[in-house]
Amino acid sequence: MKPPEVIVIGAGVVGVTCALALQANGLQVTILDRAGVAAEASSQNAGALAFSEIEPLAAPGIMRKAPKWLLDPTGPLSVPPTYGLKIAPWMFRFWRASRPTRFAAGLKAQTALMTLSRTAFLELAATAGAEDHLRHEGQLQLYEGVKEYHASLPAWKRRNDHGIKIELLEGPDQIANVQPGLSPSFTHAGFTPNWINLNDPKKWVELLADRFRAKGGQIELADVTDIAETADGMAITAGQQYKAKRVVLCAGAWSHRIARRLGDRIPLETERGYNTTLPGTGVKLRTHITFPNHGFVMSKIGDGLRIGGAVELGGLNRPPDYRRARAMLQKAGTFFPSLNTDGGTAWMGFRPSMPDSLPVIGPAPATSRVIYAFGHGHLGLTQSAGTARLVSEIISGQEPSIDLNPYRAQRFGGRP
Protein backbone atom coordinates (compact mmCIF):
# COMPACT_ATOMS: atom_id res chain seq x y z
CA MET A 1 0.00 0.00 0.00
CA LYS A 2 1.26 3.48 -0.85
CA PRO A 3 2.36 5.41 2.27
CA PRO A 4 0.10 8.32 3.23
CA GLU A 5 1.26 11.85 2.49
CA VAL A 6 0.59 12.88 6.11
CA ILE A 7 0.43 10.91 9.36
CA VAL A 8 -1.41 12.55 12.24
CA ILE A 9 -0.37 11.23 15.65
CA GLY A 10 -3.39 11.49 17.92
CA ALA A 11 -7.10 10.73 17.47
CA GLY A 12 -8.46 13.21 19.97
CA VAL A 13 -10.48 16.22 18.88
CA VAL A 14 -7.40 18.17 17.72
CA GLY A 15 -5.94 15.27 15.76
CA VAL A 16 -9.16 14.24 14.03
CA THR A 17 -10.03 17.85 13.17
CA CYS A 18 -6.53 18.42 11.75
CA ALA A 19 -6.75 15.22 9.69
CA LEU A 20 -10.11 16.26 8.28
CA ALA A 21 -8.77 19.71 7.32
CA LEU A 22 -5.73 18.19 5.58
CA GLN A 23 -7.93 15.70 3.79
CA ALA A 24 -10.10 18.59 2.53
CA ASN A 25 -6.92 19.99 0.93
CA GLY A 26 -6.60 16.82 -1.13
CA LEU A 27 -3.98 15.03 0.97
CA GLN A 28 -3.98 11.32 1.82
CA VAL A 29 -3.95 11.13 5.63
CA THR A 30 -3.63 8.36 8.22
CA ILE A 31 -4.24 8.83 11.96
CA LEU A 32 -2.32 6.80 14.54
CA ASP A 33 -3.46 6.68 18.17
CA ARG A 34 -2.48 4.60 21.16
CA ALA A 35 -6.07 4.10 22.38
CA GLY A 36 -8.48 5.04 19.60
CA VAL A 37 -10.84 7.85 18.64
CA ALA A 38 -11.68 10.22 21.52
CA ALA A 39 -10.39 7.65 24.00
CA GLU A 40 -8.84 10.19 26.36
CA ALA A 41 -9.79 13.74 27.43
CA SER A 42 -11.70 14.48 24.22
CA SER A 43 -14.54 12.18 25.28
CA GLN A 44 -15.10 13.39 28.83
CA ASN A 45 -14.74 17.16 28.82
CA ALA A 46 -17.56 19.57 29.62
CA GLY A 47 -18.43 20.10 25.95
CA ALA A 48 -17.74 23.82 26.25
CA LEU A 49 -16.69 25.95 23.29
CA ALA A 50 -15.09 28.56 25.49
CA PHE A 51 -14.23 31.17 22.85
CA SER A 52 -14.80 33.98 25.35
CA GLU A 53 -12.16 32.62 27.77
CA ILE A 54 -9.31 34.70 26.41
CA GLU A 55 -7.32 35.13 29.62
CA PRO A 56 -4.31 32.85 30.21
CA LEU A 57 -4.41 30.95 33.48
CA ALA A 58 -1.07 32.55 34.37
CA ALA A 59 -2.55 35.96 35.25
CA PRO A 60 -1.03 38.71 37.41
CA GLY A 61 -1.66 37.91 41.06
CA ILE A 62 -2.23 34.20 40.47
CA MET A 63 0.82 33.25 42.52
CA ARG A 64 -0.62 35.01 45.59
CA LYS A 65 -3.54 32.57 45.45
CA ALA A 66 -1.43 29.54 44.63
CA PRO A 67 -0.10 28.69 48.15
CA LYS A 68 -3.63 28.48 49.58
CA TRP A 69 -4.80 26.35 46.66
CA LEU A 70 -1.76 24.10 46.63
CA LEU A 71 -2.26 23.16 50.28
CA ASP A 72 -5.82 21.96 49.60
CA PRO A 73 -5.73 18.54 47.87
CA THR A 74 -9.34 19.01 46.70
CA GLY A 75 -9.10 22.72 45.81
CA PRO A 76 -9.14 24.42 42.36
CA LEU A 77 -5.39 23.95 41.85
CA SER A 78 -3.20 21.40 43.56
CA VAL A 79 0.17 19.72 43.26
CA PRO A 80 0.76 16.44 45.16
CA PRO A 81 3.64 17.06 47.61
CA THR A 82 5.74 14.24 46.14
CA TYR A 83 5.44 15.85 42.68
CA GLY A 84 6.50 19.33 43.80
CA LEU A 85 10.20 19.03 42.96
CA LYS A 86 9.54 17.57 39.53
CA ILE A 87 7.15 20.35 38.55
CA ALA A 88 9.22 23.21 39.97
CA PRO A 89 10.74 24.26 36.57
CA TRP A 90 7.24 24.38 35.03
CA MET A 91 5.91 26.44 37.95
CA PHE A 92 8.80 28.88 37.53
CA ARG A 93 7.86 29.38 33.88
CA PHE A 94 4.21 29.72 34.93
CA TRP A 95 5.19 32.49 37.36
CA ARG A 96 7.18 34.28 34.66
CA ALA A 97 4.21 34.05 32.28
CA SER A 98 2.03 35.79 34.89
CA ARG A 99 4.07 39.01 34.75
CA PRO A 100 2.01 41.90 33.34
CA THR A 101 3.88 42.29 30.04
CA ARG A 102 3.87 38.55 29.32
CA PHE A 103 0.24 38.26 30.38
CA ALA A 104 -0.68 41.05 27.96
CA ALA A 105 1.13 39.27 25.13
CA GLY A 106 -0.55 35.99 26.05
CA LEU A 107 -3.95 37.68 26.16
CA LYS A 108 -3.41 39.05 22.65
CA ALA A 109 -2.32 35.67 21.30
CA GLN A 110 -5.14 33.80 23.02
CA THR A 111 -7.70 36.28 21.67
CA ALA A 112 -6.39 35.85 18.12
CA LEU A 113 -6.57 32.06 18.34
CA MET A 114 -10.04 32.14 19.92
CA THR A 115 -11.38 34.46 17.22
CA LEU A 116 -10.04 32.20 14.48
CA SER A 117 -11.25 29.08 16.27
CA ARG A 118 -14.82 30.31 16.61
CA THR A 119 -15.05 31.12 12.90
CA ALA A 120 -13.43 27.83 11.89
CA PHE A 121 -15.57 25.74 14.26
CA LEU A 122 -18.86 27.19 13.07
CA GLU A 123 -17.78 26.69 9.45
CA LEU A 124 -16.82 23.07 10.22
CA ALA A 125 -20.20 22.40 11.88
CA ALA A 126 -22.01 23.85 8.86
CA THR A 127 -19.87 21.89 6.36
CA ALA A 128 -20.41 18.65 8.29
CA GLY A 129 -24.15 19.27 8.56
CA ALA A 130 -23.74 18.99 12.33
CA GLU A 131 -25.12 22.27 13.61
CA ASP A 132 -27.72 20.35 15.62
CA HIS A 133 -24.85 19.16 17.84
CA LEU A 134 -24.42 22.72 19.17
CA ARG A 135 -26.24 24.28 22.11
CA HIS A 136 -26.43 28.08 22.01
CA GLU A 137 -27.36 28.56 25.67
CA GLY A 138 -24.70 30.90 27.06
CA GLN A 139 -22.56 30.64 30.17
CA LEU A 140 -23.12 31.95 33.71
CA GLN A 141 -20.18 32.68 36.05
CA LEU A 142 -21.24 32.98 39.68
CA TYR A 143 -19.83 34.95 42.61
CA GLU A 144 -20.54 34.83 46.33
CA GLY A 145 -20.52 38.39 47.60
CA VAL A 146 -19.32 41.80 46.47
CA LYS A 147 -15.63 41.08 47.06
CA GLU A 148 -15.52 38.13 44.65
CA TYR A 149 -17.58 40.03 42.10
CA HIS A 150 -15.43 43.17 42.18
CA ALA A 151 -12.29 41.06 41.83
CA SER A 152 -13.73 39.62 38.60
CA LEU A 153 -14.62 42.95 36.99
CA PRO A 154 -11.23 43.62 35.29
CA ALA A 155 -11.54 40.28 33.46
CA TRP A 156 -15.09 41.10 32.39
CA LYS A 157 -13.91 44.48 31.14
CA ARG A 158 -11.18 42.83 29.08
CA ARG A 159 -13.73 40.52 27.49
CA ASN A 160 -15.97 43.48 26.70
CA ASP A 161 -13.02 45.44 25.27
CA HIS A 162 -12.30 42.54 22.92
CA GLY A 163 -15.82 42.51 21.54
CA ILE A 164 -17.25 39.67 23.64
CA LYS A 165 -20.86 40.31 24.58
CA ILE A 166 -21.38 40.23 28.37
CA GLU A 167 -24.17 40.89 30.83
CA LEU A 168 -23.39 41.63 34.49
CA LEU A 169 -26.04 40.53 36.99
CA GLU A 170 -26.60 41.71 40.56
CA GLY A 171 -28.83 39.94 43.05
CA PRO A 172 -30.34 36.44 43.20
CA ASP A 173 -33.43 37.56 41.28
CA GLN A 174 -31.44 38.62 38.20
CA ILE A 175 -29.46 35.38 38.40
CA ALA A 176 -32.66 33.33 38.66
CA ASN A 177 -33.92 34.87 35.42
CA VAL A 178 -31.06 33.07 33.69
CA GLN A 179 -30.83 29.97 35.92
CA PRO A 180 -33.41 29.18 38.62
CA GLY A 181 -32.72 26.91 41.55
CA LEU A 182 -29.33 28.22 42.66
CA SER A 183 -28.41 28.88 46.26
CA PRO A 184 -29.04 32.53 47.28
CA SER A 185 -25.41 32.67 48.43
CA PHE A 186 -24.61 33.65 44.82
CA THR A 187 -25.21 37.38 44.79
CA HIS A 188 -23.56 38.41 41.50
CA ALA A 189 -22.82 36.87 38.12
CA GLY A 190 -21.50 37.49 34.64
CA PHE A 191 -23.32 36.04 31.64
CA THR A 192 -21.88 35.43 28.17
CA PRO A 193 -24.95 34.85 25.98
CA ASN A 194 -23.02 33.82 22.86
CA TRP A 195 -21.27 30.90 24.59
CA ILE A 196 -21.79 27.53 22.84
CA ASN A 197 -21.72 23.96 24.13
CA LEU A 198 -21.75 20.62 22.36
CA ASN A 199 -24.48 18.11 23.14
CA ASP A 200 -21.81 15.44 23.65
CA PRO A 201 -18.07 15.95 22.96
CA LYS A 202 -17.40 12.24 22.38
CA LYS A 203 -20.13 12.00 19.74
CA TRP A 204 -18.73 15.12 18.06
CA VAL A 205 -15.28 13.58 17.60
CA GLU A 206 -16.81 10.29 16.46
CA LEU A 207 -18.88 12.18 13.88
CA LEU A 208 -15.75 13.86 12.51
CA ALA A 209 -13.86 10.54 12.51
CA ASP A 210 -16.68 8.86 10.58
CA ARG A 211 -16.61 11.69 8.06
CA PHE A 212 -12.82 11.31 7.74
CA ARG A 213 -13.10 7.55 7.13
CA ALA A 214 -15.93 7.99 4.65
CA LYS A 215 -13.64 10.15 2.53
CA GLY A 216 -10.90 7.51 2.47
CA GLY A 217 -8.95 8.32 5.66
CA GLN A 218 -7.41 5.56 7.78
CA ILE A 219 -7.37 5.40 11.59
CA GLU A 220 -5.13 2.79 13.21
CA LEU A 221 -4.42 1.73 16.77
CA ALA A 222 -0.68 2.27 17.19
CA ASP A 223 1.41 3.47 20.12
CA VAL A 224 4.13 5.71 18.66
CA THR A 225 7.47 5.22 20.40
CA ASP A 226 9.89 6.88 17.97
CA ILE A 227 10.01 9.33 15.10
CA ALA A 228 12.92 10.19 12.83
CA GLU A 229 13.60 12.06 9.62
CA THR A 230 14.76 10.11 6.58
CA ALA A 231 16.00 11.16 3.16
CA ASP A 232 12.49 11.26 1.70
CA GLY A 233 10.22 11.93 4.67
CA MET A 234 9.54 10.71 8.19
CA ALA A 235 9.75 7.25 9.76
CA ILE A 236 7.41 6.50 12.67
CA THR A 237 7.87 3.50 14.95
CA ALA A 238 4.68 2.18 16.50
CA GLY A 239 5.04 -1.57 16.79
CA GLN A 240 5.79 -1.49 13.07
CA GLN A 241 7.32 1.10 10.77
CA TYR A 242 5.17 3.78 9.14
CA LYS A 243 6.36 6.29 6.57
CA ALA A 244 4.96 9.62 5.43
CA LYS A 245 6.18 12.83 3.87
CA ARG A 246 4.85 14.92 6.76
CA VAL A 247 3.76 14.30 10.36
CA VAL A 248 1.38 16.29 12.58
CA LEU A 249 1.96 15.65 16.28
CA CYS A 250 -1.13 16.18 18.43
CA ALA A 251 -0.93 13.36 20.97
CA GLY A 252 -2.24 15.40 23.89
CA ALA A 253 -0.48 14.91 27.20
CA TRP A 254 1.93 12.40 25.61
CA SER A 255 3.14 14.79 22.89
CA HIS A 256 6.28 15.98 24.67
CA ARG A 257 7.57 12.41 24.94
CA ILE A 258 7.45 12.03 21.16
CA ALA A 259 8.87 15.52 20.60
CA ARG A 260 11.84 14.49 22.76
CA ARG A 261 12.74 11.95 20.06
CA LEU A 262 13.36 14.91 17.76
CA GLY A 263 15.50 16.64 20.37
CA ASP A 264 12.85 19.07 21.69
CA ARG A 265 12.31 19.42 25.41
CA ILE A 266 8.87 20.95 25.58
CA PRO A 267 7.76 22.09 29.07
CA LEU A 268 4.39 20.38 28.86
CA GLU A 269 2.67 19.36 32.09
CA THR A 270 -0.43 17.30 32.73
CA GLU A 271 -3.59 18.93 34.05
CA ARG A 272 -5.37 15.97 35.57
CA GLY A 273 -9.05 16.85 35.23
CA TYR A 274 -11.83 15.18 37.22
CA ASN A 275 -15.56 15.02 36.69
CA THR A 276 -18.74 13.12 37.53
CA THR A 277 -21.48 12.53 34.97
CA LEU A 278 -24.95 12.24 36.48
CA PRO A 279 -27.86 10.49 34.69
CA GLY A 280 -31.03 12.13 36.13
CA THR A 281 -30.57 15.15 38.34
CA GLY A 282 -33.75 16.98 39.34
CA VAL A 283 -32.17 20.18 37.94
CA LYS A 284 -33.10 21.68 34.59
CA LEU A 285 -29.90 23.37 33.48
CA ARG A 286 -30.63 26.28 31.15
CA THR A 287 -27.02 27.35 30.59
CA HIS A 288 -23.42 26.30 31.18
CA ILE A 289 -22.57 27.14 34.82
CA THR A 290 -19.08 28.13 36.01
CA PHE A 291 -18.06 28.46 39.66
CA PRO A 292 -14.74 30.29 39.08
CA ASN A 293 -13.71 30.57 42.72
CA HIS A 294 -14.31 26.86 43.25
CA GLY A 295 -12.66 25.78 40.00
CA PHE A 296 -15.41 23.70 38.40
CA VAL A 297 -18.34 23.81 35.98
CA MET A 298 -21.70 22.17 35.35
CA SER A 299 -22.88 21.38 31.83
CA LYS A 300 -25.47 19.29 30.04
CA ILE A 301 -24.11 16.18 28.33
CA GLY A 302 -26.80 14.33 26.40
CA ASP A 303 -29.65 13.83 28.85
CA GLY A 304 -27.40 14.09 31.92
CA LEU A 305 -25.19 16.56 33.75
CA ARG A 306 -21.41 16.69 33.98
CA ILE A 307 -19.77 18.30 37.00
CA GLY A 308 -16.03 18.72 36.75
CA GLY A 309 -12.93 20.81 36.41
CA ALA A 310 -10.14 21.75 38.80
CA VAL A 311 -6.45 21.40 38.04
CA GLU A 312 -4.23 18.77 39.60
CA LEU A 313 -0.70 19.05 38.26
CA GLY A 314 0.47 15.52 38.89
CA GLY A 315 1.88 13.97 35.72
CA LEU A 316 0.81 10.85 33.85
CA ASN A 317 1.70 8.08 36.27
CA ARG A 318 0.04 8.81 39.62
CA PRO A 319 -3.22 6.99 40.40
CA PRO A 320 -6.38 9.13 40.37
CA ASP A 321 -7.45 10.93 43.55
CA TYR A 322 -11.23 10.81 43.25
CA ARG A 323 -11.65 12.92 46.38
CA ARG A 324 -11.50 15.82 43.96
CA ALA A 325 -14.49 14.57 41.98
CA ARG A 326 -16.43 13.91 45.18
CA ALA A 327 -15.63 17.37 46.55
CA MET A 328 -16.97 19.07 43.41
CA LEU A 329 -20.07 16.90 43.45
CA GLN A 330 -20.72 17.74 47.10
CA LYS A 331 -20.36 21.46 46.42
CA ALA A 332 -22.69 21.20 43.42
CA GLY A 333 -25.31 19.65 45.68
CA THR A 334 -24.98 22.62 48.03
CA PHE A 335 -25.12 25.18 45.23
CA PHE A 336 -28.18 23.48 43.65
CA PRO A 337 -30.28 22.28 46.62
CA SER A 338 -32.58 20.22 44.37
CA LEU A 339 -29.71 18.42 42.63
CA ASN A 340 -29.76 14.62 42.92
CA THR A 341 -26.09 13.62 43.15
CA ASP A 342 -26.67 9.84 43.20
CA GLY A 343 -25.75 7.39 40.45
CA GLY A 344 -22.89 9.34 38.89
CA THR A 345 -19.84 8.01 37.05
CA ALA A 346 -16.49 9.52 38.05
CA TRP A 347 -13.63 10.05 35.58
CA MET A 348 -10.09 11.40 35.52
CA GLY A 349 -8.21 12.39 32.36
CA PHE A 350 -5.04 14.10 31.20
CA ARG A 351 -4.97 17.57 29.63
CA PRO A 352 -1.71 18.84 28.07
CA SER A 353 -0.79 22.19 29.59
CA MET A 354 1.88 24.77 28.79
CA PRO A 355 3.10 27.29 31.40
CA ASP A 356 1.75 30.28 29.44
CA SER A 357 -1.62 28.63 28.56
CA LEU A 358 -0.84 28.84 24.83
CA PRO A 359 -0.56 25.70 22.70
CA VAL A 360 2.44 24.75 20.58
CA ILE A 361 1.52 25.19 16.91
CA GLY A 362 4.06 25.20 14.10
CA PRO A 363 7.01 23.33 12.61
CA ALA A 364 9.32 21.38 14.90
CA PRO A 365 12.69 23.14 15.29
CA ALA A 366 14.53 20.07 14.00
CA THR A 367 12.51 19.58 10.81
CA SER A 368 9.73 21.36 8.96
CA ARG A 369 8.36 17.93 8.00
CA VAL A 370 6.86 17.69 11.52
CA ILE A 371 4.15 20.12 12.62
CA TYR A 372 3.39 20.44 16.32
CA ALA A 373 -0.23 20.97 17.41
CA PHE A 374 -0.56 20.23 21.13
CA GLY A 375 -0.58 21.77 24.60
CA HIS A 376 -4.07 23.31 24.57
CA GLY A 377 -4.73 22.54 28.25
CA HIS A 378 -8.48 22.42 28.88
CA LEU A 379 -9.17 24.31 25.61
CA GLY A 380 -8.47 21.54 23.11
CA LEU A 381 -12.07 21.25 21.94
CA THR A 382 -12.47 25.03 21.79
CA GLN A 383 -9.31 25.59 19.74
CA SER A 384 -9.45 22.41 17.65
CA ALA A 385 -10.84 23.90 14.42
CA GLY A 386 -8.60 26.98 14.59
CA THR A 387 -5.55 24.78 15.16
CA ALA A 388 -6.59 22.54 12.25
CA ARG A 389 -6.87 25.54 9.95
CA LEU A 390 -3.38 26.73 10.90
CA VAL A 391 -1.87 23.25 10.43
CA SER A 392 -3.52 22.96 7.03
CA GLU A 393 -2.20 26.38 6.02
CA ILE A 394 1.34 25.51 7.13
CA ILE A 395 1.43 22.22 5.23
CA SER A 396 -0.12 23.70 2.09
CA GLY A 397 2.31 26.63 2.12
CA GLN A 398 -0.34 29.31 2.67
CA GLU A 399 0.09 32.41 4.80
CA PRO A 400 -1.20 31.49 8.29
CA SER A 401 -4.43 33.19 9.34
CA ILE A 402 -2.74 34.58 12.47
CA ASP A 403 0.83 35.25 13.59
CA LEU A 404 2.32 31.92 14.73
CA ASN A 405 5.22 33.43 16.66
CA PRO A 406 3.50 33.25 20.12
CA TYR A 407 2.88 29.51 19.68
CA ARG A 408 6.30 28.41 18.44
CA ALA A 409 7.98 25.48 20.17
CA GLN A 410 11.19 27.46 20.69
CA ARG A 411 9.64 30.10 22.95
CA PHE A 412 10.88 28.29 26.07
CA GLY A 413 14.23 27.19 24.64
CA GLY A 414 14.53 23.49 25.37
CA ARG A 415 16.92 22.28 22.64
CA PRO A 416 19.57 20.14 24.37
Side-chain angles (χ1 to χ4, degrees), residues 78-143:
S78 73
V79 177
T82 56
Y83 199 70
L85 187 62
K86 183 177 178 64
I87 201 175
W90 189 95
M91 292 298 294
F92 177 72
R93 292 185 171 105
F94 180 82
W95 168 72
R96 291 184 66 187
S98 72
R99 292 178 177 178
T101 54
R102 293 199 176 195
F103 173 77
L107 177 67
K108 181 179 178 181
Q110 195 75 291
T111 301
L113 183 54
M114 289 297 199
T115 301
L116 172 66
S117 295
R118 182 185 180 92
T119 299
F121 200 101
L122 294 177
E123 289 178 3
L124 174 61
T127 301
E131 291 163 300
D132 60 338
H133 283 249
L134 309 185
R135 284 178 167 154
H136 298 264
E137 297 175 343
Q139 181 230 191
L140 189 66
Q141 292 197 22
L142 294 162
Y143 305 100

Side-chain angles (χ1 to χ4, degrees), residues 219-304:
I219 303 177
E220 298 186 26
L221 280 175
D223 188 2
V224 175
T225 57
D226 200 5
I227 181 172
E229 189 170 22
T230 66
D232 57 351
M234 299 300 301
I236 298 98
T237 303
Q240 65 183 73
Q241 287 288 321
Y242 294 85
K243 290 188 177 181
K245 294 178 182 177
R246 308 290 290 270
V247 171
V248 180
L249 175 57
C250 34
W254 291 264
S255 298
H256 62 307
R257 293 182 174 179
I258 300 172
R260 181 70 67 92
R261 306 302 300 173
L262 294 171
D264 290 323
R265 293 180 177 173
I266 308 291
L268 183 147
E269 252 308 328
T270 305
E271 283 186 42
R272 294 151 56 93
Y274 291 82
N275 68 45
T276 302
T277 303
L278 299 171
T281 65
V283 167
K284 182 175 176 56
L285 208 63
R286 293 184 180 177
T287 184
H288 182 93
I289 304 284
T290 300
F291 304 98
N293 291 288
H294 297 274
F296 73 96
V297 305
M298 293 178 64
S299 63
K300 288 188 286 189
I301 301 294
D303 296 325

